[in-house]
């Protein structure tokens, strides 16, 4: 289960809004610069998948007609170029349209700040898969825990992660599922609570469960 963490005044927790403000603030920032698309790299362990769906098609058409209206966020990479904090979809759309540069705001963020800001900038999307939300919660929880101390309250977890404490615990448990079962959760063939319960099994035991489900050709839909 999850360990607890401290959110006292000594703790360094910088969410996306704390670091960058509103979308309007980003749009009007004086720190915007045009960066070559070839110099922008995806965030390491980025949990949110790029989907060529309706939302992406609309973004592509918007950028084709108007360019990138809201700059992305990135930080310098040790190996050169920049690691994207916010703007993976915009970069993808630029590549499809054929735009070679993208407006970006470059900030020097440590690993914990970068993870928290990256998750915050994506977690409110309506089309997030359970697997994406699960990994995002785990990444943010671990980053926040790393910044703070150890014993803290349920209320602090809920405030920082933006979800009910038990919900956060259960989503993080999903990250212990083997890929085949996690894919079933994303495909709505395996319901959330049964998936959480299965996640406590060892990987070999989970493989047996997956094999049985496939042989029976059923979906586990009980709550």
């Amino acid at each position: 289960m999850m360990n607890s963490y401290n959110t006292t005044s000594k703790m360094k927790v910088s969410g996306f809004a704390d670091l960058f403000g509103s979308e309007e603030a980003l749009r009007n920032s004086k720190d915007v610069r045009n960066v070559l698309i070839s110099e922008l790299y995806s965030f390491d362990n980025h949990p949110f998948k790029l989907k060529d769906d309706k939302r992406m098609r609309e973004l592509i058409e918007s950028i084709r007609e108007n360019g990138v209206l809201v700059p992305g966020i990135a930080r310098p990479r040790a190996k050169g170029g920049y690691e994207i904090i916010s703007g993976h979809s915009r970069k993808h759309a630029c590549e499809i349209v054929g735009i070679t540069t993208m407006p970006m705001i470059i900030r020097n963020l440590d690993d914990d700040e970068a993870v928290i800001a990256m998750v915050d900038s994506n977690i409110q999307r309506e089309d997030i898969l359970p697997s994406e939300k699960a990994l995002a919660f785990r990444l943010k929880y671990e980053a926040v825990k790393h910044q703070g101390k150890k014993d803290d309250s349920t209320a602090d977890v809920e405030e920082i992660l933006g979800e009910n404490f038990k919900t956060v615990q259960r989503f993080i448990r999903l990250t212990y599922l083997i890929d085949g079962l996690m894919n079933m959760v994303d495909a709505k063939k395996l319901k959330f609570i049964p998936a959480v319960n299965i996640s406590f099994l060892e990987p070999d035991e989970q493989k047996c469960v997956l094999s049985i489900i496939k042989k029976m050709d059923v979906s586990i839909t009980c709550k």
Side-chain angles (χ1 to χ4, degrees):
M1 301 299 290
M2 293 165 58
N3 295 320
S4 54
Y5 58 87
N6 194 345
T7 55
T8 64
S9 59
K10 294 181 180 180
M11 185 173 178
K12 182 183 180 186
V13 178
S14 297
F16 189 87
D18 297 327
L19 289 165
F20 306 110
S22 65
E23 182 176 297
E24 187 65 24
L26 288 176
R27 205 187 299 260
N28 297 321
S29 174
K30 296 179 181 179
D31 299 328
V32 178
R33 67 172 88 167
N34 284 321
V35 177
L36 289 170
I37 295 293
S38 60
E39 293 183 352
L40 295 174
Y41 295 84
S42 295
F43 194 90
D44 191 28
N45 293 323
H46 189 259
F48 303 100
K49 302 177 178 69
L50 289 173
K51 306 179 186 74
D52 288 315
D53 54 12
K54 180 181 178 181
R55 178 175 171 272
M56 178 61 75
R57 291 192 293 272
E58 290 174 349
L59 178 62
I60 290 168
E61 289 309 308
S62 174
I63 289 177
R64 193 191 308 277
E65 293 179 13
N66 307 301
V68 178
L69 299 177
V70 179
I73 309 291
R75 66 172 181 164
R77 289 173 79 243
K79 296 180 181 180
Y82 304 94
E83 182 179 41
I84 300 172
I85 306 296
S86 173
H88 291 82
S89 294
R90 279 162 280 177
K91 180 199 173 189
H92 181 64
C94 286
E95 290 172 329
I96 291 175
V97 171
I99 296 174
T100 58
T101 63
M102 179 171 154
M104 301 293 295
I105 295 174
I106 308 301
R107 293 285 174 81
N108 290 309
L109 304 177
D110 63 31
D111 290 344
D112 295 327
E113 289 173 330
V115 166
I116 293 168
M118 180 274 296
V119 171
D120 283 356
S121 68
N122 288 277
I123 199 67
Q124 298 304 322
R125 281 169 28 197
E126 295 180 357
D127 60 343
I128 296 175
L129 294 171
S131 61
E132 296 174 318
K133 195 169 187 177
L135 182 53
F137 274 146
R138 183 171 179 174
L139 288 171
K140 184 174 179 180
Y141 170 76
E142 290 175 351
V144 171
K145 184 177 66 174
H146 184 255
Q147 287 183 330
K149 296 183 178 178
K150 285 188 177 174
D151 46 80
D152 214 312
S153 69
T154 297
D156 291 322
V157 176
E158 293 178 345
E159 180 180 356
I160 291 174
L161 287 145
E163 287 277 0
N164 174 273
F165 180 72
K166 284 188 176 180
T167 300
V168 171
Q169 286 183 309
R170 287 167 175 166
F171 267 107
I172 290 177
R173 279 304 319 174
L174 291 186
T175 65
Y176 294 91
L177 286 174
I178 61 174
D179 289 344
L181 290 170
M182 181 63 89
N183 291 339
M184 289 190 67
V185 177
D186 284 342
K188 299 182 180 180
K189 293 182 177 180
L190 176 58
K191 287 292 186 178
F192 186 75
I193 296 301
V196 171
N197 293 333
I198 293 170
S199 75
F200 287 95
L201 298 176
E202 294 296 325
D204 286 345
E205 294 172 321
Q206 292 188 36
K207 289 177 182 177
C208 290
V209 172
L210 178 61
S211 177
I212 291 169
I213 294 172
K214 287 183 175 180
K215 285 179 180 178
M216 296 177 66
D217 192 24
V218 298
S219 299
I220 298 181
T221 58
C222 57
K223 295 182 179 180

